[in-house]
Amino acid sequence: MTSEMNAEKQRASAWFEELRNQIVAAFEGLEDGHDTGPLSNNAAGRFEVSKTKRTSDDGSDAGGGLMSVMRGGRVFEKVGVNISTVYGVLGARAQNAMAARKGIDGMANDPRFWASGISLVAHMQNPHCPAVHMNTRMFWTPHAWWFGGGSDLNPCLEYDEDTAHFHATQKEHLDQHGSEHYPKLKEWADEYFFIPHRGRARGVGGIFMDDRCTNDWEADFALTQDIGRAFLPAFLPLVEKRRVQAWSDEDKDAQLVHRGLYAEYNLVYDRGTKFGLETGHDANAVLMSLPPLAKWV
């Protein structure tokens, strides 16, 4: 394997795009299958797709991707499914943070990087339908490479059977790579998606990993792919079941308050948000995860 890993980068980037296409088609299919209730606007029920661009400090092209956002649907109030492949040179702050967290030596001498991934956040119309987040990614520098990602469920009205299904589906996919993965990645998610200033988790958890590099690229890529493959079978049945339930004004109010938790976490703690903004990626794409409406008590 060469130090540049060009073939591996291309395979990873192509996979994230393939997963994006599957999810976009599935989500538009949910809108097609939900034929009650008015659409908020003429474009509702379909993703609006726009190109994103990262610009380096010297103004040169540094990659980009696609931002796909659906607003005002019958099922999804706002959902974004973004992919990107970006590259360039890490700034001093990003270098120091990454070197310290990952124990990488020599980054200042060659601070090049390449990163590709998919990121998804869905905020639902019906408060009984859980919000959800998913991402998978690959990161490369001349000194190290790694995978990361996961998915977590964020219901404002919790159903134990929905939580059990979400976790069981992820476990089933991870167990193909060894029974040790699910307990570790579940614990990692519980720690990562905790909101210290609120003293609580932002949802009911899921799976999460970062810094995944066993020096077996094929094995780590396969694990990352199954994290992505687990998403639709874990999430879609919950939406199919809950989207037809009636809700009250109190239910909607609970949803808006819970969205406040989600916004707080993403703006204060989420490493992906911080990295995207610090490295010059399209701010609208980075902040796509924020809900359309939220409230605080």
Side-chain angles (χ1 to χ4, degrees):
M1 187 179 297
T2 67
S3 61
E4 297 293 333
M5 298 183 67
N6 290 329
E8 289 78 10
K9 292 176 187 175
Q10 291 176 8
R11 286 177 59 195
S13 181
W15 158 249
F16 299 136
E17 183 175 2
E18 178 183 344
L19 182 60
R20 175 261 178 205
N21 294 342
Q22 293 172 2
I23 293 171
V24 165
F27 282 4
E28 289 186 346
L30 280 175
E31 290 288 339
D32 291 341
H34 194 74
D35 57 2
T36 59
L39 290 170
S40 301
N41 57 65
N42 291 335
R46 288 293 179 269
F47 281 91
E48 299 176 9
V49 181
S50 58
K51 292 184 178 180
T52 62
K53 183 178 180 181
R54 178 182 179 270
T55 303
S56 64
D57 292 339
D58 62 6
S60 61
D61 175 66
L66 290 177
M67 178 171 64
S68 304
V69 181
M70 186 195 308
R71 299 177 178 89
R74 295 185 178 102
V75 178
F76 297 97
E77 187 169 350
K78 178 188 177 186
V79 55
V81 186
N82 292 352
I83 54 170
S84 65
T85 298
V86 296
Y87 45 83
V89 175
L90 290 169
R93 288 179 60 187
Q95 290 176 38
N96 293 336
M98 194 167 293
R101 189 164 64 86
K102 301 180 184 298
I104 299 175
D105 296 324
M107 184 167 285
N109 298 325
D110 190 348
R112 290 177 296 152
F113 82 97
W114 176 97
S116 184
I118 177 173
S119 180
L120 174 158
V121 177
H123 298 289
M124 316 303 290
Q125 291 283 12
N126 190 325
H128 295 284
C129 290
V132 73
H133 155 264
M134 186 278 293
N135 79 81
T136 58
R137 60 193 177 276
M138 177 187 166
F139 204 99
W140 171 91
T141 77
H143 318 283
W145 56 264
W146 58 91
F147 288 96
S151 60
D152 65 298
L153 200 66
N154 298 271
C156 68
L157 304 173
E158 296 182 16
Y159 293 92
D160 290 343
E161 63 268 34
D162 292 3
T163 301
H165 170 82
F166 190 77
H167 281 273
T169 305
Q170 294 178 324
K171 181 178 185 300
E172 178 183 354
H173 283 73
L174 293 184
D175 281 354
Q176 301 175 55
H177 304 271
S179 60
E180 72 277 10
H181 291 301
Y182 171 74
K184 180 179 179 180
L185 269 60
K186 178 185 181 300
E187 181 179 5
W188 207 334
D190 290 342
E191 294 175 356
Y192 184 71
F193 296 114
F194 187 80
I195 306 175
H197 67 270
R198 295 292 185 183
R200 58 157 295 174
R202 76 176 189 185
V204 295
I207 54 176
F208 178 77
M209 70 176 186
D210 203 356
D211 310 335
R212 179 72 184 182
C213 178
T214 65
N215 293 318
D216 185 339
W217 189 90
E218 291 290 350
D220 292 346
F221 182 42
L223 178 63
T224 303
Q225 287 176 297
D226 273 324
I227 289 174
R229 292 188 184 106
F231 172 71
L232 286 176
F235 180 62
L236 290 189
L238 309 183
V239 180
E240 292 280 11
K241 178 169 55 175
R242 302 296 175 191
R243 65 182 183 174
V244 296
Q245 287 186 235
W247 75 79
S248 65
D249 290 342
E250 290 77 12
D251 294 335
K252 198 66 177 178
D253 190 68
Q255 182 190 53
L256 296 179
V257 171
H258 192 82
R259 285 178 178 176
L261 285 176
Y262 200 94
E264 289 177 16
Y265 178 87
N266 277 38
L267 291 173
V268 177
Y269 301 111
D270 187 76
R271 289 203 297 262
T273 301
K274 293 178 181 179
F275 178 83
L277 294 176
E278 282 198 5
T279 56
H281 197 51
D282 187 295
N284 288 329
V286 174
L287 298 174
M288 170 273 296
S289 61
L290 296 179
L293 294 171
K295 68 177 294 185
W296 283 261
V297 295

